[in-house]
Amino acid sequence: MQQTRSYEAELLEEQKYTARVLSYLTGAISRMDNSTLMKDETIRMILADAWDELRMKPTALSPQELEQLSMEINRFVAQRQLTSDRAESYRKMLKNPYFARIDFQENGEEPEKIVIGLYSLRTSQGEILVHDWRAPVCSLYYDALPGEAHFMSPSGIVRGWLRLKRQYRMNDGKLVFFADTDESVYDQMLLEMLAGNSASHMKQIVSTIQSEQNKAIRYDQGHCMTVTGSAGSGKTSVAMHRAAYLLYHHRDTLASKTICVLSPTNAFIEYISTVLPDLGEENTQATTLAGLVEKILGKKVESPILQSERLMSGDNELRLQSVRSKADARIIDALDQTIRRFSNIGPDFEDIILDGSIFISKAELYRLYHEDLKRLTPAQRLNRIKIMLEQRLEDISEKLYSNYKQQMQGHYGLNRELDFATKLAVAQKLRPIRAAINDVVTIDPSALYARALSNWPKAIREAATENANAGLIWYEDAPGIAYLAVRLGLAKPDTNMRVLLVDEAQDYADIAFKLMNAYFPNAGVTLLGDANQRTLPGLPECHPGNWGALFGCPDAPHMRLTKGYRFTMEIARLCDIFLYGEKAAQICAQESVGRHGPEPLQLIYDPYLLRTTVADFQKTGAKRIGIITRTHAQARCVADMFKKAFLLTGDINELEDTGVTVGCLTSVKGLEFDAVAVLWDMSQRDEPGENRRLYTACSRALHRLAVFDLSDHEV
């Protein structure tokens, strides 16, 4: 009985502290709102006064005064935005002002109470009521147990004792429960969070970050890091919270616009788009590999979904051979050799002829390229040569114009007609030499890429040449062609980007990593992936330990996330059986968080049975249901079976809050659903990589899973 009274008395004290925090938040929000209104009024008055002066006399304000006025307005606008953003953060804190507390006693000091929340809250007297979860001392909550402990601060290691570790549960701003724990995160709270329904957008997980995730989030000691873990281990959450952490600790040198997230699909970009705003930060730059290549080359490339569709078809040997060869490390050597040759030798220069005479010799072109302009990139050298030759043509053009004008005098009545005819004659005369110059100074990276494959099998060489001539770029060729463009100076590297976060890294061939390193030369890199989710046919086995070397960091740390949090133990067990076989059944129970649910269903495909299964999912409370197929063609057929099904096609903003979403395996990469129906031809499981593809599809499910066997059936 005494223990209950003690808990209740402690709860009352904690609730008083919560009330104090809420009171301060309410007052701070009111003050900030008033400040925002005052700044709005100040800006309005400044503009009104300036307008009155200019209306009476347009020259009333000098250019210097106008510039000063603009600077003053910008200063008020920036202050207003800062105040408004902080007020918005405080409004978010009203419902959940903080989630944890630690009491830490530094050696030789008094114990300090540290309350941890999503954002920091400091009184006007400097007292910190709530610490931002990213503050160095808050790492103790995620990593340490009560007892002797230490954390890394900007000034070095701080040692002492962790006297208390406490978690809170809030209900609309009211503290209803707390628990003291010896674990990283109180298991029951974590399980309750995991048991909830999924959402169309990823949620922040600040209150339930696990120790192994925290180490990856806060790593800040090297240029490159690899993070691997099974499906549902929190890799993407680590990436997004790592971005927030880096922005907090490097505020002077980092901004959201200098961080780029490379995602598998546009739908995935939309899925993660709310995490950083929820953490009080602006969204980072985000793109896909296809989007990055299209930006570099200025032209469209084949989509990953279309590539996968062609590889999954029956007649796919050429494409499989193409993917295998472009994933081979030899492609990097071949392209680097081509770059060196082009830098040292340049194009195949020839004499350029005009009217039977040498306009510029091969020897002079070679000298310009190799001696006069050797400090520039190949693209810059050729551009300078083009400018020089254009200047030479200008002199010739003027002489031709004068001669043709005299010859045509009297044939045209109006001067403008004579001028037009003369210019046309000059242009026609010089068209062949302009074409010859253009051939010499233009680098076609696709054609150069095809030439780099001279030692590849005949079918691969011919396909690359045909694609270059037709202006087509296969997805597996896109990184290599873009790599040539960047290294030769055809595309300017993005030197402003400081952080690159690569999700689903297992899906990329080595040449894609080389492209990223070349295009983002100043960016620290975090690579996140799961070798078991490498699903594209034709790609070789994945070795994450080698990724760092492709960014110039062969000794890059490799952190492994060992626990799964997404799905129930029953779903995890079936996923492991698909991946490893029956012997792996016990591994799942040891590695997954202990959340139970219904046994997954394994059924023979029937359209009626699929519809009734989906209906059962909905009856049991599933809000977001995914139907996953092997190919996009199958997904289109299945979507037609459901009146309000949403088909993932690879476009932006494709996510729905509720209902049935249908997509092929490529389109659902990284996403998750409350319940999933997987349609798969189990007779194909002996094919290379098929078990990995099935595992990846099934691992999209949180709570319920049904696998329909398509053997001897068609969708």
Side-chain angles (χ1 to χ4, degrees), residues 170-212:
M170 300 281 179
N171 184 5
D172 198 20
K174 182 179 179 181
L175 175 61
V176 295
F177 173 78
F178 75 82
D180 294 340
T181 175
D182 291 337
E183 304 294 335
S184 294
V185 174
Y186 184 46
D187 285 345
Q188 188 58 38
M189 290 185 177
L190 175 60
L191 291 173
E192 287 179 7
M193 185 203 75
L194 296 175
N197 281 325
S198 67
S200 59
H201 292 83
M202 175 176 279
K203 303 173 184 176
Q204 56 86 5
I205 59 164
V206 168
S207 63
T208 56
I209 291 172
Q210 302 297 290
S211 179
E212 61 181 11

Side-chain angles (χ1 to χ4, degrees), residues 680-687 690 709-712:
W680 216 263
D681 185 348
M682 295 297 184
S683 66
Q684 296 181 326
R685 285 188 57 194
D686 291 335
E687 295 184 9
E690 201 64 17
D709 186 358
L710 291 178
S711 303
D712 302 321

Side-chain angles (χ1 to χ4, degrees), residues 333 335-345 487-488:
D333 294 336
L335 295 179
D336 284 342
Q337 183 178 349
T338 297
I339 292 165
R340 287 192 297 271
R341 182 186 182 281
F342 201 92
S343 298
N344 295 331
I345 301 176
R487 291 288 309 277
L488 292 174

Side-chain angles (χ1 to χ4, degrees), residues 71 146 248 312 352 381 576:
M71 292 175 60
Y248 178 86
M312 296 285 193
I352 298 178
R381 289 183 237 176
D576 270 13

Side-chain angles (χ1 to χ4, degrees), residues 223 260-263 287-290 292-293 296 475 479-480 482-483 486-487 493-495 497 499-528 547 550-551:
H223 175 75
C260 181
V261 178
L262 198 69
S263 295
T287 188
T288 61
L289 180 62
L292 180 63
V293 170
I296 292 171
Y475 187 67
Y483 178 67
V486 173
R487 291 288 309 277
D494 189 340
T495 56
M497 207 60 66
V499 176
L500 176 64
L501 302 165
V502 184
D503 208 351
E504 303 291 343
Q506 77 281 342
D507 287 340
Y508 303 118
D510 289 356
I511 184 59
F513 292 136
K514 294 293 286 186
L515 167 63
M516 297 172 204
N517 191 38
Y519 188 69
F520 300 114
N522 296 331
V525 184
T526 301
L527 302 151
L528 307 105
W547 290 347
L550 297 166
F551 289 87

Side-chain angles (χ1 to χ4, degrees), residues 28 51 54 77 90 201 218 269 276 280 288 293 304 349 396 454-455 464 483 493 508 520 548 576 611 634 694 699 713:
W51 174 247
L54 292 171
V77 169
Y90 284 180
H201 292 83
R218 293 175 185 260
I269 291 175
L276 281 173
T288 61
V293 170
F349 290 120
I396 296 174
S454 58
N455 294 325
Y483 178 67
Y508 303 118
F520 300 114
D576 270 13
R611 285 192 289 266
Q634 291 172 329
L694 180 57
S699 67
H713 293 79

Side-chain angles (χ1 to χ4, degrees), residues 539-593:
L539 284 181
E541 292 294 320
C542 181
H543 300 287
N546 298 335
W547 290 347
L550 297 166
F551 289 87
C553 301
D555 297 326
H558 180 182
M559 299 189 182
R560 293 172 174 83
L561 305 180
T562 60
K563 292 185 178 181
Y565 304 97
R566 176 179 295 150
F567 31 65
T568 63
M569 295 183 69
E570 289 75 13
I571 293 174
R573 181 177 183 277
L574 183 62
C575 287
D576 270 13
I577 289 174
F578 285 153
L579 190 59
Y580 301 115
E582 290 285 349
K583 292 182 179 180
Q586 296 304 316
I587 297 177
C588 167
Q590 296 169 2
E591 298 296 330
S592 294
V593 173

